[in-house]
Structure formats: C-alpha cells, structure tokens
Amino acid sequence: MSSTHSAPPWRDIMLTAIAPAIWGSTYIVTSQLLPPDRPFTAALIRCLPAGLLLLLMTRRLPARADWWRLLVLSAFNIGLFQALLFVAAYRLPGGLAAVLGAIQPLLVMVLAWAVDGRAPAQITLWAAVAGVAGMAVLLLSPQTRIEPIGVAAALAGAGCMAAGVWLTRRWQLRLPVLALTGWQLTIGGLMLAPAAWLVDAPLPSLGLTQELAYAYLSLAGALLAYALWFRGIARLPTVAVASLGLLSPLTAVVLGWVILSQSISGIALAGLVVVLGSVFAVQWSATRRT
C-alpha cells in the first residue's frame, strides 16, 4: 500500500472501477436481451460457470481454517447479495433501488468505526453522504413507488455487499485473487441454484443473441468484474472500494441515455455531477489518509 506521502493509487482505482461499470450494463442486457422474469436463473448463469472456469484455471484449495470464512464471504458477496439484488430490482423502480444501494459506503464506514475503531475522515463521510443525495436527485421522481419488501431487500443487499467488502479486506484469505474469486462465485452460485430451480420458470429455447448475452454476464459481469473487484479490495481502503459501487447505477443511467434515448436533463445532470464528484472525493481522501 502506498504511504501517506505517495501519489494516490489511481491505477488500482481505475482497474477496480471497471467492475461496477460492467455491472451497470447488466440492467440493459437483462431488460433488452434476456428471457423475462427469470432473475435467479440469470444470477445463477452469471456466477456458477465463471466460478467453475476459474477453479479449473487456478486449481487451488483454500486452507482448512479458511473454509468457514470463505462460506461467509460467498454468501455476502454473491449468494445473498445477488438474490436480494434481483428481488429489489423486480419490486422497485430502478431509481429507488439504486439510491438505497448507494448507502453501501456509509455502512462500510460504520463497520470500520464500530468494530475496528477507525473513525472516517470528515471529508470522506460528507462525500459519501453527497453521493447518496446526488443519486437521489439523479434517479428519484415524485411518482416513485414504495414497496416494503423491495425496500427491505435493497437495504439488506447493500448491507450484504458492505459486509462482504469489509470482511474480505479484514480476513485476507490465503488465496490468489483468481482462486478467491472462483471459489466465491462457485459457492455463491450453488447457493442461488435452489431459488432458480424452485422460483423461476424453465428457460425457453435460446437464440444466438440470448446465448451471447448470458456469456457476457458470466465472463465479463462475473469472472472479469469480480476478479477486479476483489483485487481492488486487497489493495485499496474499504471505503474507497465501496464508493466505487456508485458507478454501477451511474453507468446504467448513461447507457440508457446513449442506447435507449432516455433523457437526462436539468436537475438530473446536476445529480450526475454530484455523484461523480462524491466518488472522486472519497477516492482522494481515503487513499491520502491510508
């Protein structure tokens, strides 16, 4: 880790930011290219094949003492998070789900403060608050529909992701990044399998476009994105990594604007600028402080 007097590790930040940017493309791929109403099947196909491929590539077993930690991380980072993410996505407008998920950096700060005794710097705290506010301005509207189960799922999902980021950095399992990613995707994918089997309808016959969409979700959205994400967790402050998660809904908004001609204007543009400024401020303050 760079010292206080070194330049901030912007290369690590940029590589880690690729992960939420890829995840931000998930919405448009799912809504435009995949069979409808099969959220758990999509999550399973995204995670399990990528995990098995990484395990075949790395061929590394976790230490015996690390197995229980690996199960906990797989549940928080993949299994529970993916399930709650899709429950929220199907019950809430995308804007509300994104705003609720934006509290993740604040939850990481609370964990680090309450358990590790690491109080956040004022600029980091206020930048994270500004990110939530900017996301609300960007995505919410007076017509936003509140659905209690969806709200609970979105908040629980943000909590799972925050706990996963914090615990991954805290425990530092004795595995290379690719092996750690493969085991979590595989175990998390197996956790999703019962929901996909019991809740979702069977897949119809798939065309080439749908097969390529599922391949993109697995190879880019899981294998590449999670490998970069866990690499970033190992190298960057936890709050800095968590704040990069704001780039996921931001990417979804930009792709909707570019590809689907969804409008962004007026106060929404101001919200977009605030979110970007928040992400930059958290990166700068957290890495400088480290």
Side-chain angles (χ1 to χ4, degrees):
M1 179 65 65
S2 300
S3 68
T4 304
H5 302 289
S6 301
W10 291 110
R11 180 174 179 272
D12 291 332
I13 291 171
M14 295 300 292
L15 285 173
T16 308
I18 293 172
I22 291 174
W23 293 332
S25 68
T26 299
Y27 172 77
I28 197 167
V29 170
T30 301
S31 63
Q32 302 298 310
L33 301 176
L34 296 187
D37 301 325
R38 292 169 175 84
F40 299 113
T41 300
L44 173 64
I45 293 175
R46 173 160 59 182
C47 297
L48 189 56
L52 293 173
L53 180 60
L54 283 173
L55 292 187
L56 287 173
M57 290 169 54
T58 56
R59 299 178 183 272
R60 289 287 298 269
L61 285 172
R64 183 177 300 177
D66 286 341
W67 270 105
W68 72 271
R69 292 188 176 93
L70 186 61
L71 290 172
V72 172
L73 292 179
S74 300
F76 278 136
N77 286 321
I78 309 296
L80 287 173
F81 173 70
Q82 292 289 339
L84 291 165
L85 174 70
F86 281 108
V87 169
Y90 273 80
R91 289 178 173 268
L92 295 176
L96 179 57
V99 171
L100 293 172
I103 68 169
Q104 185 197 140
L106 295 174
L107 296 178
V108 170
M109 290 183 203
V110 169
L111 284 170
W113 195 353
V115 182
D116 299 332
R118 292 175 58 87
Q122 288 293 315
I123 186 174
T124 308
L125 177 61
W126 287 112
V129 171
V132 178
M135 196 66 69
V137 169
L138 176 62
L139 295 173
L140 292 186
S141 71
Q143 292 77 37
T144 297
R145 174 176 52 87
I146 305 296
E147 202 276 341
I149 295 177
V151 169
L155 291 174
C160 284
M161 195 63 168
V165 169
W166 176 68
L167 287 173
T168 302
R169 179 62 187 267
R170 181 181 175 87
W171 284 341
Q172 294 283 301
L173 301 191
R174 291 161 287 184
L175 280 172
V177 169
L178 291 181
L180 176 65
T181 304
W183 279 109
Q184 290 193 67
L185 287 171
T186 300
I187 296 171
L190 292 173
M191 292 175 180
L192 288 163
W197 177 266
L198 295 172
V199 178
D200 288 354
L203 281 175
S205 179
L206 300 177
L208 179 59
T209 300
Q210 293 171 322
E211 291 174 351
L212 291 175
Y214 277 123
Y216 170 79
L217 289 179
S218 183
L219 297 178
L223 192 154
L224 175 61
Y226 272 109
L228 292 173
W229 187 248
F230 292 132
R231 177 187 181 277
I233 291 174
R235 293 167 178 256
L236 297 169
T238 51
V239 172
V241 175
S243 77
L244 290 173
L246 294 177
L247 297 178
S248 179
L250 207 62
T251 302
V253 170
V254 173
L255 288 176
W257 173 50
V258 173
I259 298 175
L260 302 179
S261 301
Q262 297 171 347
S263 63
I264 305 178
S265 60
I267 193 170
L269 281 175
L272 188 148
V273 172
V274 169
V275 174
L276 287 174
S278 163
V279 172
F280 177 82
V282 171
Q283 302 310 306
W284 180 82
S285 63
T287 52
R288 289 272 296 182
R289 196 166 187 236
T290 303

